[in-house]
Amino acid sequence: NAGVTQTPKFQVLKTGQSMTLQCAQDMNHEYMSWYRQDPGMGLRLIHYSVGAGITDQGEVPNGYNVSRSTTEDFPLRLLSAAPSQTSVYFCASRPRDSSYNSPLHFGNGTRLTVT
Amino acid sequence: GESVGLHLPTLSVQEGDNSIINCAYSNSASDYFIWYKQESGKGPQFIIDIRSNMDKRQGQRVTVLLNKTVKHLSLQIAATQPGDSAVYFCAEVYGNNRLAFGKGNQVVVIP
């Protein structure tokens, strides 16, 4: 199994450009999420989804959109990139089953620089 | 790598010694805790977890201790190896599977 796959690994954007960060998982996990990682801060939740067709906002959703048309894919869109969005982005997934807790499985991240 | 850029507290440990990484959590209602390891250029990887009805759990070379009285979590790594060099995060789970991550600690193993 590939687990959680993120593309691209690196990206440089100019202010105002848009782009989509891709995330795919092959574990049939219902729950998927996007985090950003910045110096001096813990991972912060941007958006999440508990299943196909369902998305919700996390802690820092502004400037980002998501959609979940399939169980496998959860793309993150930056509508108009800003320097404040320079960060490392991680996609993560886990089973949704609420009868027990389960840890998140993370991808290897996308390092985004906005100039 | 990303871990160097995070400006984290650093624990330097001699190869073969034991490491102890500490974490204070904030929510007394948290009922599940997880330790992650993040190597440079990679995403966090699950190491071990513990539920709030336990105070100790052991894995392979790792032990997690939970003190709910003072809201403190620790990760002990036995016989630390060069491959243990990484950033270690704790995470607490509360409410409806809400997750909060600590800022992390950098562990550097000296050969």
Side-chain angles (χ1 to χ4, degrees), chain A residues 9 35 37-40 42-43 88 90 94 101-104 106-108 111, chain B residues 2 5-7 32 36 38 41-44 46 51 89 97-99 101-103:
Chain A
K9 192 168 177 59
Y35 287 86
Q37 186 176 49
D38 301 292
L43 289 157
V88 182
F90 289 100
R94 63 169 170 76
N101 296 118
S102 58
L104 287 169
F106 285 86
N108 281 329
R111 177 181 276 278
Chain B
E2 287 86 348
L6 292 174
H7 311 301
Y32 176 57
Y36 286 94
Q38 186 177 17
K42 295 187 177 180
F46 168 79
R51 303 191 195 289
F89 296 95
N97 264 317
R98 305 287 292 187
L99 197 69
F101 287 90
K103 295 181 175 58

PDB file of all heavy atoms in Angstrom, chain A residues 9 35 37-40 42-43 88 90 94 101-104 106-108 111, chain B residues 2 5-7 32 36 38 41-44 46 51 89 97-99 101-103:
ATOM      1  N   LYS A   9       5.777  17.733  -4.261  1.00  0.00           N
ATOM      2  CA  LYS A   9       6.572  17.780  -3.041  1.00  0.00           C
ATOM      3  C   LYS A   9       7.028  19.221  -2.747  1.00  0.00           C
ATOM      4  O   LYS A   9       7.144  19.620  -1.591  1.00  0.00           O
ATOM      5  CB  LYS A   9       7.789  16.863  -3.167  1.00  0.00           C
ATOM      6  CG  LYS A   9       8.508  16.635  -1.846  1.00  0.00           C
ATOM      7  CD  LYS A   9       9.507  15.499  -1.949  1.00  0.00           C
ATOM      8  CE  LYS A   9      10.292  15.306  -0.662  1.00  0.00           C
ATOM      9  NZ  LYS A   9       9.427  15.006   0.492  1.00  0.00           N
ATOM     10  N   TYR A  35      -3.385  19.799   7.109  1.00  0.00           N
ATOM     11  CA  TYR A  35      -2.735  20.581   8.146  1.00  0.00           C
ATOM     12  C   TYR A  35      -1.643  21.431   7.503  1.00  0.00           C
ATOM     13  O   TYR A  35      -1.082  21.079   6.465  1.00  0.00           O
ATOM     14  CB  TYR A  35      -2.062  19.670   9.187  1.00  0.00           C
ATOM     15  CG  TYR A  35      -3.012  18.968  10.119  1.00  0.00           C
ATOM     16  CD1 TYR A  35      -3.594  17.752   9.773  1.00  0.00           C
ATOM     17  CD2 TYR A  35      -3.323  19.514  11.364  1.00  0.00           C
ATOM     18  CE1 TYR A  35      -4.463  17.103  10.631  1.00  0.00           C
ATOM     19  CE2 TYR A  35      -4.189  18.866  12.232  1.00  0.00           C
ATOM     20  CZ  TYR A  35      -4.750  17.670  11.856  1.00  0.00           C
ATOM     21  OH  TYR A  35      -5.607  17.024  12.723  1.00  0.00           O
ATOM     22  N   GLN A  37       2.112  23.291   8.702  1.00  0.00           N
ATOM     23  CA  GLN A  37       3.142  23.252   9.742  1.00  0.00           C
ATOM     24  C   GLN A  37       4.057  24.453   9.572  1.00  0.00           C
ATOM     25  O   GLN A  37       4.684  24.626   8.525  1.00  0.00           O
ATOM     26  CB  GLN A  37       3.960  21.961   9.644  1.00  0.00           C
ATOM     27  CG  GLN A  37       4.959  21.774  10.767  1.00  0.00           C
ATOM     28  CD  GLN A  37       5.669  20.434  10.685  1.00  0.00           C
ATOM     29  OE1 GLN A  37       6.175  20.042   9.644  1.00  0.00           O
ATOM     30  NE2 GLN A  37       5.683  19.713  11.793  1.00  0.00           N
ATOM     31  N   ASP A  38       4.107  25.272  10.614  1.00  0.00           N
ATOM     32  CA  ASP A  38       4.898  26.492  10.581  1.00  0.00           C
ATOM     33  C   ASP A  38       5.846  26.534  11.774  1.00  0.00           C
ATOM     34  O   ASP A  38       5.540  25.963  12.829  1.00  0.00           O
ATOM     35  CB  ASP A  38       3.976  27.713  10.611  1.00  0.00           C
ATOM     36  CG  ASP A  38       3.017  27.726   9.448  1.00  0.00           C
ATOM     37  OD1 ASP A  38       3.491  27.906   8.309  1.00  0.00           O
ATOM     38  OD2 ASP A  38       1.803  27.534   9.658  1.00  0.00           O
ATOM     39  N   PRO A  39       6.978  27.242  11.646  1.00  0.00           N
ATOM     40  CA  PRO A  39       7.935  27.325  12.757  1.00  0.00           C
ATOM     41  C   PRO A  39       7.279  27.845  14.028  1.00  0.00           C
ATOM     42  O   PRO A  39       6.519  28.809  14.001  1.00  0.00           O
ATOM     43  CB  PRO A  39       8.984  28.301  12.226  1.00  0.00           C
ATOM     44  CG  PRO A  39       8.909  28.174  10.749  1.00  0.00           C
ATOM     45  CD  PRO A  39       7.457  27.931  10.448  1.00  0.00           C
ATOM     46  N   GLY A  40       7.574  27.185  15.154  1.00  0.00           N
ATOM     47  CA  GLY A  40       7.077  27.643  16.446  1.00  0.00           C
ATOM     48  C   GLY A  40       5.641  27.276  16.742  1.00  0.00           C
ATOM     49  O   GLY A  40       5.112  27.646  17.791  1.00  0.00           O
ATOM     50  N   GLY A  42       2.437  24.142  16.497  1.00  0.00           N
ATOM     51  CA  GLY A  42       2.076  22.763  16.213  1.00  0.00           C
ATOM     52  C   GLY A  42       1.327  22.696  14.890  1.00  0.00           C
ATOM     53  O   GLY A  42       0.985  23.716  14.296  1.00  0.00           O
ATOM     54  N   LEU A  43       1.068  21.519  14.436  1.00  0.00           N
ATOM     55  CA  LEU A  43       0.272  21.340  13.224  1.00  0.00           C
ATOM     56  C   LEU A  43      -1.111  21.963  13.426  1.00  0.00           C
ATOM     57  O   LEU A  43      -1.750  21.748  14.464  1.00  0.00           O
ATOM     58  CB  LEU A  43       0.123  19.849  12.918  1.00  0.00           C
ATOM     59  CG  LEU A  43       1.399  19.160  12.432  1.00  0.00           C
ATOM     60  CD1 LEU A  43       1.334  17.667  12.676  1.00  0.00           C
ATOM     61  CD2 LEU A  43       1.605  19.449  10.958  1.00  0.00           C
ATOM     62  N   VAL A  88       4.571  24.274   5.141  1.00  0.00           N
ATOM     63  CA  VAL A  88       4.586  22.873   4.720  1.00  0.00           C
ATOM     64  C   VAL A  88       3.197  22.317   5.006  1.00  0.00           C
ATOM     65  O   VAL A  88       2.683  22.450   6.118  1.00  0.00           O
ATOM     66  CB  VAL A  88       5.655  22.058   5.465  1.00  0.00           C
ATOM     67  CG1 VAL A  88       5.656  20.616   4.961  1.00  0.00           C
ATOM     68  CG2 VAL A  88       7.031  22.689   5.281  1.00  0.00           C
ATOM     69  N   PHE A  90       0.467  19.177   5.123  1.00  0.00           N
ATOM     70  CA  PHE A  90       0.353  17.738   5.288  1.00  0.00           C
ATOM     71  C   PHE A  90      -1.106  17.312   5.160  1.00  0.00           C
ATOM     72  O   PHE A  90      -1.998  17.923   5.748  1.00  0.00           O
ATOM     73  CB  PHE A  90       0.876  17.293   6.648  1.00  0.00           C
ATOM     74  CG  PHE A  90       2.365  17.395   6.772  1.00  0.00           C
ATOM     75  CD1 PHE A  90       2.946  18.462   7.426  1.00  0.00           C
ATOM     76  CD2 PHE A  90       3.180  16.419   6.217  1.00  0.00           C
ATOM     77  CE1 PHE A  90       4.324  18.566   7.533  1.00  0.00           C
ATOM     78  CE2 PHE A  90       4.556  16.510   6.320  1.00  0.00           C
ATOM     79  CZ  PHE A  90       5.128  17.582   6.973  1.00  0.00           C
ATOM     80  N   ARG A  94      -7.563   8.753   8.409  1.00  0.00           N
ATOM     81  CA  ARG A  94      -7.775   7.670   9.371  1.00  0.00           C
ATOM     82  C   ARG A  94      -9.170   7.096   9.136  1.00  0.00           C
ATOM     83  O   ARG A  94     -10.012   7.736   8.506  1.00  0.00           O
ATOM     84  CB  ARG A  94      -7.641   8.157  10.808  1.00  0.00           C
ATOM     85  CG  ARG A  94      -8.651   9.197  11.230  1.00  0.00           C
ATOM     86  CD  ARG A  94      -8.625   9.415  12.738  1.00  0.00           C
ATOM     87  NE  ARG A  94      -9.407  10.577  13.143  1.00  0.00           N
ATOM     88  CZ  ARG A  94     -10.735  10.605  13.210  1.00  0.00           C
ATOM     89  NH1 ARG A  94     -11.436   9.543  12.912  1.00  0.00           N
ATOM     90  NH2 ARG A  94     -11.354  11.703  13.603  1.00  0.00           N
ATOM     91  N   ASN A 101     -10.619   5.133  19.045  1.00  0.00           N
ATOM     92  CA  ASN A 101      -9.742   6.150  18.503  1.00  0.00           C
ATOM     93  C   ASN A 101      -8.689   5.493  17.634  1.00  0.00           C
ATOM     94  O   ASN A 101      -8.256   4.386  17.921  1.00  0.00           O
ATOM     95  CB  ASN A 101      -9.047   6.916  19.635  1.00  0.00           C
ATOM     96  CG  ASN A 101     -10.035   7.667  20.489  1.00  0.00           C
ATOM     97  OD1 ASN A 101     -10.151   7.409  21.670  1.00  0.00           O
ATOM     98  ND2 ASN A 101     -10.765   8.577  19.900  1.00  0.00           N
ATOM     99  N   SER A 102      -8.285   6.176  16.604  1.00  0.00           N
ATOM    100  CA  SER A 102      -7.206   5.668  15.767  1.00  0.00           C
ATOM    101  C   SER A 102      -6.326   6.832  15.328  1.00  0.00           C
ATOM    102  O   SER A 102      -6.821   7.944  15.142  1.00  0.00           O
ATOM    103  CB  SER A 102      -7.757   4.926  14.555  1.00  0.00           C
ATOM    104  OG  SER A 102      -8.588   5.765  13.801  1.00  0.00           O
ATOM    105  N   PRO A 103      -5.027   6.583  15.205  1.00  0.00           N
ATOM    106  CA  PRO A 103      -4.117   7.686  14.865  1.00  0.00           C
ATOM    107  C   PRO A 103      -4.225   8.065  13.389  1.00  0.00           C
ATOM    108  O   PRO A 103      -4.618   7.267  12.542  1.00  0.00           O
ATOM    109  CB  PRO A 103      -2.742   7.111  15.179  1.00  0.00           C
ATOM    110  CG  PRO A 103      -2.895   5.643  15.010  1.00  0.00           C
ATOM    111  CD  PRO A 103      -4.301   5.329  15.425  1.00  0.00           C
ATOM    112  N   LEU A 104      -3.848   9.291  13.099  1.00  0.00           N
ATOM    113  CA  LEU A 104      -3.794   9.766  11.726  1.00  0.00           C
ATOM    114  C   LEU A 104      -2.579   9.188  11.004  1.00  0.00           C
ATOM    115  O   LEU A 104      -1.519   9.002  11.591  1.00  0.00           O
ATOM    116  CB  LEU A 104      -3.693  11.286  11.699  1.00  0.00           C
ATOM    117  CG  LEU A 104      -4.945  12.077  12.061  1.00  0.00           C
ATOM    118  CD1 LEU A 104      -4.599  13.540  12.252  1.00  0.00           C
ATOM    119  CD2 LEU A 104      -6.006  11.915  10.983  1.00  0.00           C
ATOM    120  N   PHE A 106      -0.129  10.196   7.949  1.00  0.00           N
ATOM    121  CA  PHE A 106       0.254  11.405   7.232  1.00  0.00           C
ATOM    122  C   PHE A 106       0.972  11.099   5.922  1.00  0.00           C
ATOM    123  O   PHE A 106       1.693  10.094   5.806  1.00  0.00           O
ATOM    124  CB  PHE A 106       1.191  12.242   8.097  1.00  0.00           C
ATOM    125  CG  PHE A 106       0.514  12.975   9.212  1.00  0.00           C
ATOM    126  CD1 PHE A 106       0.290  12.349  10.429  1.00  0.00           C
ATOM    127  CD2 PHE A 106       0.093  14.284   9.048  1.00  0.00           C
ATOM    128  CE1 PHE A 106      -0.341  13.020  11.467  1.00  0.00           C
ATOM    129  CE2 PHE A 106      -0.536  14.961  10.080  1.00  0.00           C
ATOM    130  CZ  PHE A 106      -0.758  14.327  11.290  1.00  0.00           C
ATOM    131  N   GLY A 107       0.791  12.024   4.967  1.00  0.00           N
ATOM    132  CA  GLY A 107       1.638  12.026   3.784  1.00  0.00           C
ATOM    133  C   GLY A 107       2.967  12.687   4.098  1.00  0.00           C
ATOM    134  O   GLY A 107       3.211  13.120   5.231  1.00  0.00           O
ATOM    135  N   ASN A 108       3.843  12.784   3.096  1.00  0.00           N
ATOM    136  CA  ASN A 108       5.175  13.344   3.306  1.00  0.00           C
ATOM    137  C   ASN A 108       5.251  14.851   3.085  1.00  0.00           C
ATOM    138  O   ASN A 108       6.333  15.423   3.152  1.00  0.00           O
ATOM    139  CB  ASN A 108       6.201  12.619   2.432  1.00  0.00           C
ATOM    140  CG  ASN A 108       6.605  11.292   3.040  1.00  0.00           C
ATOM    141  OD1 ASN A 108       6.613  11.135   4.258  1.00  0.00           O
ATOM    142  ND2 ASN A 108       6.920  10.324   2.195  1.00  0.00           N
ATOM    143  N   ARG A 111       5.954  21.313   0.367  1.00  0.00           N
ATOM    144  CA  ARG A 111       6.553  22.562   0.834  1.00  0.00           C
ATOM    145  C   ARG A 111       6.205  23.644  -0.168  1.00  0.00           C
ATOM    146  O   ARG A 111       6.630  23.586  -1.318  1.00  0.00           O
ATOM    147  CB  ARG A 111       8.067  22.427   0.963  1.00  0.00           C
ATOM    148  CG  ARG A 111       8.742  23.724   1.387  1.00  0.00           C
ATOM    149  CD  ARG A 111      10.249  23.571   1.496  1.00  0.00           C
ATOM    150  NE  ARG A 111      10.668  23.029   2.766  1.00  0.00           N
ATOM    151  CZ  ARG A 111      10.826  23.737   3.891  1.00  0.00           C
ATOM    152  NH1 ARG A 111      10.594  25.033   3.894  1.00  0.00           N
ATOM    153  NH2 ARG A 111      11.216  23.158   5.000  1.00  0.00           N
TER     154      ARG A 111
ATOM    155  N   GLU B   2      12.607  20.187   7.181  1.00  0.00           N
ATOM    156  CA  GLU B   2      11.578  20.974   7.858  1.00  0.00           C
ATOM    157  C   GLU B   2      11.832  21.030   9.354  1.00  0.00           C
ATOM    158  O   GLU B   2      11.554  22.027  10.010  1.00  0.00           O
ATOM    159  CB  GLU B   2      10.197  20.354   7.620  1.00  0.00           C
ATOM    160  CG  GLU B   2       9.660  20.542   6.220  1.00  0.00           C
ATOM    161  CD  GLU B   2      10.155  19.442   5.298  1.00  0.00           C
ATOM    162  OE1 GLU B   2      11.067  18.696   5.673  1.00  0.00           O
ATOM    163  OE2 GLU B   2       9.609  19.353   4.200  1.00  0.00           O
ATOM    164  N   GLY B   5      13.965  23.853  10.583  1.00  0.00           N
ATOM    165  CA  GLY B   5      13.356  25.163  10.490  1.00  0.00           C
ATOM    166  C   GLY B   5      12.313  25.442  11.540  1.00  0.00           C
ATOM    167  O   GLY B   5      11.801  26.550  11.603  1.00  0.00           O
ATOM    168  N   LEU B   6      11.947  24.482  12.347  1.00  0.00           N
ATOM    169  CA  LEU B   6      10.856  24.667  13.284  1.00  0.00           C
ATOM    170  C   LEU B   6      11.295  25.328  14.586  1.00  0.00           C
ATOM    171  O   LEU B   6      10.461  25.678  15.405  1.00  0.00           O
ATOM    172  CB  LEU B   6      10.201  23.310  13.602  1.00  0.00           C
ATOM    173  CG  LEU B   6       9.441  22.661  12.448  1.00  0.00           C
ATOM    174  CD1 LEU B   6       8.976  21.275  12.827  1.00  0.00           C
ATOM    175  CD2 LEU B   6       8.257  23.509  12.041  1.00  0.00           C
ATOM    176  N   HIS B   7      12.600  25.532  14.815  1.00  0.00           N
ATOM    177  CA  HIS B   7      13.133  26.222  16.001  1.00  0.00           C
ATOM    178  C   HIS B   7      12.600  25.578  17.273  1.00  0.00           C
ATOM    179  O   HIS B   7      11.921  26.218  18.083  1.00  0.00           O
ATOM    180  CB  HIS B   7      12.765  27.706  15.975  1.00  0.00           C
ATOM    181  CG  HIS B   7      13.079  28.352  14.651  1.00  0.00           C
ATOM    182  ND1 HIS B   7      14.337  28.390  14.131  1.00  0.00           N
ATOM    183  CD2 HIS B   7      12.280  28.949  13.745  1.00  0.00           C
ATOM    184  CE1 HIS B   7      14.300  28.994  12.949  1.00  0.00           C
ATOM    185  NE2 HIS B   7      13.073  29.348  12.694  1.00  0.00           N
ATOM    186  N   TYR B  32      -7.453  10.522  24.804  1.00  0.00           N
ATOM    187  CA  TYR B  32      -6.592   9.678  23.971  1.00  0.00           C
ATOM    188  C   TYR B  32      -5.392  10.517  23.582  1.00  0.00           C
ATOM    189  O   TYR B  32      -5.539  11.700  23.241  1.00  0.00           O
ATOM    190  CB  TYR B  32      -7.393   9.229  22.741  1.00  0.00           C
ATOM    191  CG  TYR B  32      -6.664   8.413  21.708  1.00  0.00           C
ATOM    192  CD1 TYR B  32      -6.024   7.220  22.035  1.00  0.00           C
ATOM    193  CD2 TYR B  32      -6.671   8.807  20.379  1.00  0.00           C
ATOM    194  CE1 TYR B  32      -5.394   6.462  21.070  1.00  0.00           C
ATOM    195  CE2 TYR B  32      -6.045   8.051  19.400  1.00  0.00           C
ATOM    196  CZ  TYR B  32      -5.411   6.881  19.752  1.00  0.00           C
ATOM    197  OH  TYR B  32      -4.796   6.122  18.786  1.00  0.00           O
ATOM    198  N   TYR B  36       3.988  11.071  17.870  1.00  0.00           N
ATOM    199  CA  TYR B  36       4.420  10.968  16.483  1.00  0.00           C
ATOM    200  C   TYR B  36       5.908  11.286  16.386  1.00  0.00           C
ATOM    201  O   TYR B  36       6.429  12.088  17.149  1.00  0.00           O
ATOM    202  CB  TYR B  36       3.669  11.953  15.586  1.00  0.00           C
ATOM    203  CG  TYR B  36       2.237  11.589  15.298  1.00  0.00           C
ATOM    204  CD1 TYR B  36       1.201  12.088  16.074  1.00  0.00           C
ATOM    205  CD2 TYR B  36       1.920  10.752  14.231  1.00  0.00           C
ATOM    206  CE1 TYR B  36      -0.117  11.765  15.801  1.00  0.00           C
ATOM    207  CE2 TYR B  36       0.602  10.427  13.952  1.00  0.00           C
ATOM    208  CZ  TYR B  36      -0.405  10.934  14.743  1.00  0.00           C
ATOM    209  OH  TYR B  36      -1.699  10.603  14.464  1.00  0.00           O
ATOM    210  N   GLN B  38       8.718  12.660  13.499  1.00  0.00           N
ATOM    211  CA  GLN B  38       8.832  13.260  12.176  1.00  0.00           C
ATOM    212  C   GLN B  38      10.296  13.394  11.793  1.00  0.00           C
ATOM    213  O   GLN B  38      11.031  14.174  12.395  1.00  0.00           O
ATOM    214  CB  GLN B  38       8.154  14.634  12.122  1.00  0.00           C
ATOM    215  CG  GLN B  38       8.131  15.229  10.729  1.00  0.00           C
ATOM    216  CD  GLN B  38       7.399  16.553  10.656  1.00  0.00           C
ATOM    217  OE1 GLN B  38       7.164  17.204  11.665  1.00  0.00           O
ATOM    218  NE2 GLN B  38       7.022  16.963   9.456  1.00  0.00           N
ATOM    219  N   GLY B  41      12.085  15.985   6.179  1.00  0.00           N
ATOM    220  CA  GLY B  41      11.556  15.787   4.831  1.00  0.00           C
ATOM    221  C   GLY B  41      10.397  14.819   4.742  1.00  0.00           C
ATOM    222  O   GLY B  41       9.947  14.493   3.638  1.00  0.00           O
ATOM    223  N   LYS B  42       9.900  14.367   5.892  1.00  0.00           N
ATOM    224  CA  LYS B  42       8.805  13.393   5.888  1.00  0.00           C
ATOM    225  C   LYS B  42       7.645  13.877   6.745  1.00  0.00           C
ATOM    226  O   LYS B  42       7.761  14.843   7.507  1.00  0.00           O
ATOM    227  CB  LYS B  42       9.293  12.040   6.409  1.00  0.00           C
ATOM    228  CG  LYS B  42      10.341  11.385   5.514  1.00  0.00           C
ATOM    229  CD  LYS B  42      10.653   9.989   5.990  1.00  0.00           C
ATOM    230  CE  LYS B  42      11.650   9.310   5.064  1.00  0.00           C
ATOM    231  NZ  LYS B  42      11.968   7.929   5.519  1.00  0.00           N
ATOM    232  N   GLY B  43       6.538  13.190   6.623  1.00  0.00           N
ATOM    233  CA  GLY B  43       5.396  13.486   7.462  1.00  0.00           C
ATOM    234  C   GLY B  43       5.497  12.786   8.799  1.00  0.00           C
ATOM    235  O   GLY B  43       6.311  11.861   8.976  1.00  0.00           O
ATOM    236  N   PRO B  44       4.714  13.217   9.786  1.00  0.00           N
ATOM    237  CA  PRO B  44       4.712  12.546  11.091  1.00  0.00           C
ATOM    238  C   PRO B  44       4.306  11.079  10.958  1.00  0.00           C
ATOM    239  O   PRO B  44       3.413  10.735  10.183  1.00  0.00           O
ATOM    240  CB  PRO B  44       3.663  13.336  11.884  1.00  0.00           C
ATOM    241  CG  PRO B  44       3.589  14.673  11.225  1.00  0.00           C
ATOM    242  CD  PRO B  44       3.822  14.397   9.776  1.00  0.00           C
ATOM    243  N   PHE B  46       3.191   7.613  13.228  1.00  0.00           N
ATOM    244  CA  PHE B  46       2.687   7.133  14.504  1.00  0.00           C
ATOM    245  C   PHE B  46       3.733   6.272  15.212  1.00  0.00           C
ATOM    246  O   PHE B  46       4.354   5.410  14.604  1.00  0.00           O
ATOM    247  CB  PHE B  46       1.415   6.315  14.259  1.00  0.00           C
ATOM    248  CG  PHE B  46       0.941   5.533  15.439  1.00  0.00           C
ATOM    249  CD1 PHE B  46       0.239   6.152  16.456  1.00  0.00           C
ATOM    250  CD2 PHE B  46       1.200   4.171  15.540  1.00  0.00           C
ATOM    251  CE1 PHE B  46      -0.210   5.433  17.540  1.00  0.00           C
ATOM    252  CE2 PHE B  46       0.764   3.443  16.634  1.00  0.00           C
ATOM    253  CZ  PHE B  46       0.048   4.075  17.633  1.00  0.00           C
ATOM    254  N   ARG B  51      -4.609   5.477  26.053  1.00  0.00           N
ATOM    255  CA  ARG B  51      -5.919   6.007  26.404  1.00  0.00           C
ATOM    256  C   ARG B  51      -5.880   6.543  27.827  1.00  0.00           C
ATOM    257  O   ARG B  51      -5.035   6.151  28.628  1.00  0.00           O
ATOM    258  CB  ARG B  51      -6.980   4.924  26.250  1.00  0.00           C
ATOM    259  CG  ARG B  51      -6.990   4.354  24.852  1.00  0.00           C
ATOM    260  CD  ARG B  51      -8.188   3.465  24.542  1.00  0.00           C
ATOM    261  NE  ARG B  51      -7.951   2.683  23.338  1.00  0.00           N
ATOM    262  CZ  ARG B  51      -7.910   3.183  22.110  1.00  0.00           C
ATOM    263  NH1 ARG B  51      -8.087   4.460  21.917  1.00  0.00           N
ATOM    264  NH2 ARG B  51      -7.683   2.410  21.084  1.00  0.00           N
ATOM    265  N   PHE B  89       6.372  14.685  18.333  1.00  0.00           N
ATOM    266  CA  PHE B  89       5.190  15.453  18.699  1.00  0.00           C
ATOM    267  C   PHE B  89       4.268  14.608  19.558  1.00  0.00           C
ATOM    268  O   PHE B  89       4.077  13.430  19.289  1.00  0.00           O
ATOM    269  CB  PHE B  89       4.352  15.796  17.457  1.00  0.00           C
ATOM    270  CG  PHE B  89       5.029  16.677  16.465  1.00  0.00           C
ATOM    271  CD1 PHE B  89       5.684  16.119  15.389  1.00  0.00           C
ATOM    272  CD2 PHE B  89       4.972  18.042  16.585  1.00  0.00           C
ATOM    273  CE1 PHE B  89       6.297  16.929  14.436  1.00  0.00           C
ATOM    274  CE2 PHE B  89       5.575  18.855  15.648  1.00  0.00           C
ATOM    275  CZ  PHE B  89       6.244  18.293  14.571  1.00  0.00           C
ATOM    276  N   ASN B  97     -13.465  13.720  18.533  1.00  0.00           N
ATOM    277  CA  ASN B  97     -12.242  13.407  17.785  1.00  0.00           C
ATOM    278  C   ASN B  97     -11.479  14.637  17.337  1.00  0.00           C
ATOM    279  O   ASN B  97     -10.872  14.653  16.272  1.00  0.00           O
ATOM    280  CB  ASN B  97     -12.549  12.530  16.578  1.00  0.00           C
ATOM    281  CG  ASN B  97     -12.334  11.066  16.893  1.00  0.00           C
ATOM    282  OD1 ASN B  97     -11.345  10.705  17.524  1.00  0.00           O
ATOM    283  ND2 ASN B  97     -13.251  10.236  16.484  1.00  0.00           N
ATOM    284  N   ARG B  98     -11.515  15.693  18.137  1.00  0.00           N
ATOM    285  CA  ARG B  98     -10.705  16.872  17.873  1.00  0.00           C
ATOM    286  C   ARG B  98      -9.272  16.558  18.312  1.00  0.00           C
ATOM    287  O   ARG B  98      -9.047  15.934  19.346  1.00  0.00           O
ATOM    288  CB  ARG B  98     -11.229  18.059  18.656  1.00  0.00           C
ATOM    289  CG  ARG B  98     -12.689  18.345  18.419  1.00  0.00           C
ATOM    290  CD  ARG B  98     -12.975  18.938  17.084  1.00  0.00           C
ATOM    291  NE  ARG B  98     -12.465  20.284  16.936  1.00  0.00           N
ATOM    292  CZ  ARG B  98     -12.714  21.066  15.882  1.00  0.00           C
ATOM    293  NH1 ARG B  98     -13.440  20.603  14.891  1.00  0.00           N
ATOM    294  NH2 ARG B  98     -12.235  22.269  15.813  1.00  0.00           N
ATOM    295  N   LEU B  99      -8.329  17.037  17.526  1.00  0.00           N
ATOM    296  CA  LEU B  99      -6.919  16.716  17.749  1.00  0.00           C
ATOM    297  C   LEU B  99      -6.134  17.999  17.935  1.00  0.00           C
ATOM    298  O   LEU B  99      -6.288  18.933  17.156  1.00  0.00           O
ATOM    299  CB  LEU B  99      -6.408  15.954  16.527  1.00  0.00           C
ATOM    300  CG  LEU B  99      -5.132  15.160  16.630  1.00  0.00           C
ATOM    301  CD1 LEU B  99      -5.347  13.972  17.532  1.00  0.00           C
ATOM    302  CD2 LEU B  99      -4.723  14.677  15.248  1.00  0.00           C
ATOM    303  N   PHE B 101      -2.087  19.278  18.515  1.00  0.00           N
ATOM    304  CA  PHE B 101      -0.695  18.844  18.485  1.00  0.00           C
ATOM    305  C   PHE B 101       0.181  19.748  19.336  1.00  0.00           C
ATOM    306  O   PHE B 101      -0.003  20.962  19.369  1.00  0.00           O
ATOM    307  CB  PHE B 101      -0.157  18.881  17.053  1.00  0.00           C
ATOM    308  CG  PHE B 101      -0.695  17.792  16.180  1.00  0.00           C
ATOM    309  CD1 PHE B 101      -1.862  17.981  15.452  1.00  0.00           C
ATOM    310  CD2 PHE B 101      -0.035  16.580  16.078  1.00  0.00           C
ATOM    311  CE1 PHE B 101      -2.363  16.983  14.642  1.00  0.00           C
ATOM    312  CE2 PHE B 101      -0.532  15.573  15.270  1.00  0.00           C
ATOM    313  CZ  PHE B 101      -1.695  15.773  14.553  1.00  0.00           C
ATOM    314  N   GLY B 102       1.173  19.160  19.991  1.00  0.00           N
ATOM    315  CA  GLY B 102       2.215  19.942  20.623  1.00  0.00           C
ATOM    316  C   GLY B 102       3.169  20.471  19.576  1.00  0.00           C
ATOM    317  O   GLY B 102       3.127  20.070  18.407  1.00  0.00           O
ATOM    318  N   LYS B 103       4.048  21.382  19.995  1.00  0.00           N
ATOM    319  CA  LYS B 103       4.964  22.015  19.046  1.00  0.00           C
ATOM    320  C   LYS B 103       6.127  21.106  18.674  1.00  0.00           C
ATOM    321  O   LYS B 103       6.750  21.291  17.638  1.00  0.00           O
ATOM    322  CB  LYS B 103       5.490  23.325  19.617  1.00  0.00           C
ATOM    323  CG  LYS B 103       4.402  24.380  19.799  1.00  0.00           C
ATOM    324  CD  LYS B 103       4.975  25.674  20.337  1.00  0.00           C
ATOM    325  CE  LYS B 103       3.926  26.773  20.420  1.00  0.00           C
ATOM    326  NZ  LYS B 103       2.777  26.447  21.248  1.00  0.00           N
TER     327      LYS B 103
END
